[in-house]
Amino acid sequence: MISQIGQSVIDTVQAAGQKVTDTVFGAPIRLGVTGLARSGKTVFITSLVANLLAGGRMPQLAAFAKGRVELAYLHPQPDDTMARFDYETHLSALTGPTPIWPENTKGISQLRLTLRLKPDGIFSALRGRVVQHIDIIDYPGEWLLDLTLLNKSYEDWSKDALTHARARDIGHNYVTLLDTIDPTQEFRDIDAKALSSTYAAYLEQARQNGFPDLTPGRFLLPGDLAGSPVITFGPLPANQNAGKKTLYREMARRYEAYKAKVVRPFFRDHFSQIDRQIVLIDMLDALENGPQATRDLRNSLIELMQAFRTGRNSILSRLFLGNRVEKILFAATKADHIPQSQHSQMTSLIQAFVDDATRRANFSGAETASLAIASLRSTTETRQSHAGKDMDFVRGTDLDTREQIAFYPGQLPDNPQSILSEADQSIGAWSLSEFSTMRFAPPKDALRSGEGMAHIRLDQAAQFLLGDRL
Ligand SMILES: Nc1nc2c(ncn2[C@@H]2O[C@H](COP(=O)(O)OP(=O)(O)O)[C@@H](O)[C@H]2O)c(=O)[nH]1
Ligand SMILES: [Mg+2]
């Protein structure tokens, strides 16, 4: 049976009067890769691309298992105005004589990888070869959280933002700054700058503390907008009577400009083009940081889900019609931080988080799945005695000292629900208080020629995201 996509390809070819034996180009697959800062996007894309190019370590990706991939190569970036994902630089960081993790990247970038396939699967009615582009788009999860702003006036956003800032110790500087500024006075750049830089510093701390409400997202990752008026504002207490030319009016105007000129175009021009999505989640880090961070992870997942929700009441359906994400994979990253014997617990935990967020966000639309993965496996395993018992350790190179160490991270629970409910209670027991992870360096010789990079379930992730189209 030929799927709809296969059929439409054939229709197009036949309509164009071509012979079916010619090379056929499948519509590009647009794969979005997102997640909050340091969730592992850059490493994921680098390893995925290295493994697709090498084809060596992808047994669970059916197109490779069946030997259908004749050739894989990087194609010039199709989009003239978007940064190219700097694959070569990231790869050389990971594979140098002293392997290091790639540098932080800010903003959106894209890479086009092309596969030449023997016709089979959805293309089985064809005789010639099939050329399939995969456009991989890396963008910060922080930007997704801005979606909620589209529904909020400056007054409402300010109200929520100030309620949080006042309730948190880290909000102190911003709250005291407000006492020294009169929003009904004539607008001055210096006040706007003070508000925005103090608010940005607060947001940065909020992010480090794992709070989910991190809007405006560009305050954290300004990219080339740094210093421009659209991101030089801050929340102010409601003021109906503020006249023209006042600080209040200008801050409200800039907030609206941020929505119209930054948030909306991102969703309209980029987000709406994505048809497959992976959301990377550093769940182990949240668990290590305790119940507060775990609760915040849970809340940010709910917010993320809202961005992907389709249907009549979703914000997005009012913004644009048409394209929708067909599949979303929620992947808990860095599974190599714990031994294989605990991977089933890690998998149940991420599944529980995703199920919970799906329910709470009233999610419907795309097909979703969850998985525990490591994009670049940096550890091996060893059994050692610990507190009088034999236990599974992970072994790798300490990132700071460059020495080989064996590390016992602690034990993840068998029952994920217990963790979710512990995280919900603001006080009480935290059964993972002993759990911790270690920062390992990337492995030596990460890329042996023709083999690809060692990973955990990266091929399963690729099969879920791309398999049906290859
Ligand atoms: N052990 C291990 N660490 C990883 C892996 N992926 C990412 N990391 C760690 O997470 C950090 C952030 O990853 P990166 O890809 O830069 O995150 P991004 O900010 O989402 O692009 C890296 O510097 C590594 O320390 C992985 O597969 N295994
Ligand atoms: Mg990155």
Side-chain angles (χ1 to χ4, degrees), residues 326-396:
E326 298 158 333
K327 287 176 171 235
I328 309 171
L329 180 63
F330 294 89
T333 52
K334 311 178 195 178
D336 57 331
H337 280 158
I338 58 168
Q340 298 270 1
S341 53
Q342 294 195 43
H343 281 192
S344 68
Q345 283 86 344
M346 185 175 173
T347 306
S348 326
L349 262 167
I350 187 63
Q351 181 71 53
F353 274 104
V354 171
D355 286 350
D356 170 76
T358 309
R359 218 168 341 102
R360 294 191 187 213
N362 210 347
F363 180 81
S364 65
E367 180 190 346
T368 60
S370 58
L371 209 53
I373 67 166
S375 308
L376 178 56
R377 187 174 178 177
S378 309
T379 63
T380 55
E381 309 214 354
T382 148
R383 231 176 141 74
Q384 291 192 6
S385 158
H386 179 76
K389 274 204 291 186
D390 271 357
M391 306 226 199
D392 293 324
F393 281 51
V394 285
R395 173 197 286 284

Side-chain angles (χ1 to χ4, degrees), residues 41-42 103-105 138:
K41 300 179 290 293
T42 304
E103 256 182 61
N104 275 1
T105 45
D138 174 3

Side-chain angles (χ1 to χ4, degrees), residues 37-55:
R38 311 211 51 76
S39 56
K41 300 179 290 293
T42 304
V43 178
F44 172 82
I45 296 173
T46 307
S47 179
L48 177 69
V49 169
N51 280 301
L52 290 174
L53 291 177

Side-chain angles (χ1 to χ4, degrees), residues 383-428:
R383 231 176 141 74
Q384 291 192 6
S385 158
H386 179 76
K389 274 204 291 186
D390 271 357
M391 306 226 199
D392 293 324
F393 281 51
V394 285
R395 173 197 286 284
T397 308
D398 183 317
L399 186 62
D400 301 318
T401 65
R402 296 278 157 179
E403 275 167 25
Q404 284 292 311
I405 47 162
F407 184 79
Y408 180 70
Q411 177 66 44
L412 295 176
D414 290 326
N415 176 9
Q417 291 309 328
S418 67
I419 291 299
L420 289 186
S421 50
E422 280 179 32
D424 259 357
Q425 269 120 46
S426 46
I427 41 165

Side-chain angles (χ1 to χ4, degrees), residues 88-202:
E88 293 77 9
T89 301
H90 301 317
L91 185 71
S92 68
L94 290 170
T95 55
T98 305
I100 52 171
W101 296 104
E103 256 182 61
N104 275 1
T105 45
K106 299 178 175 74
I108 187 166
S109 65
Q110 185 185 323
L111 190 70
R112 171 168 279 191
L113 182 132
T114 303
L115 299 177
R116 205 173 78 198
L117 303 161
K118 291 183 199 143
D120 184 17
I122 63 168
F123 299 110
S124 56
L126 304 176
R127 285 279 171 69
R129 60 166 82 96
V130 178
V131 172
Q132 179 65 58
H133 298 309
I134 303 168
D135 291 340
I136 303 171
I137 302 125
D138 174 3
Y139 68 94
E142 285 81 357
W143 294 4
L144 283 182
L145 303 178
D146 276 345
L147 184 66
T148 53
L149 298 185
L150 295 178
N151 260 353
K152 274 189 196 173
S153 65
Y154 178 65
E155 199 179 319
D156 290 344
W157 172 73
S158 288
K159 193 166 153 245
D160 293 348
L162 292 176
T163 306
H164 286 131
R166 289 198 175 105
R168 295 170 185 163
D169 291 344
I170 53 170
H172 178 77
N173 285 354
Y174 193 78
V175 174
T176 19
L177 174 68
L178 283 184
D179 291 339
T180 68
I181 286 179
D182 178 2
T184 60
Q185 290 229 315
E186 191 167 332
F187 167 79
R188 295 186 311 169
D189 268 308
I190 190 169
D191 296 329
K193 215 175 146 192
L195 287 173
S196 76
S197 62
T198 312
Y199 198 69
Y202 157 73

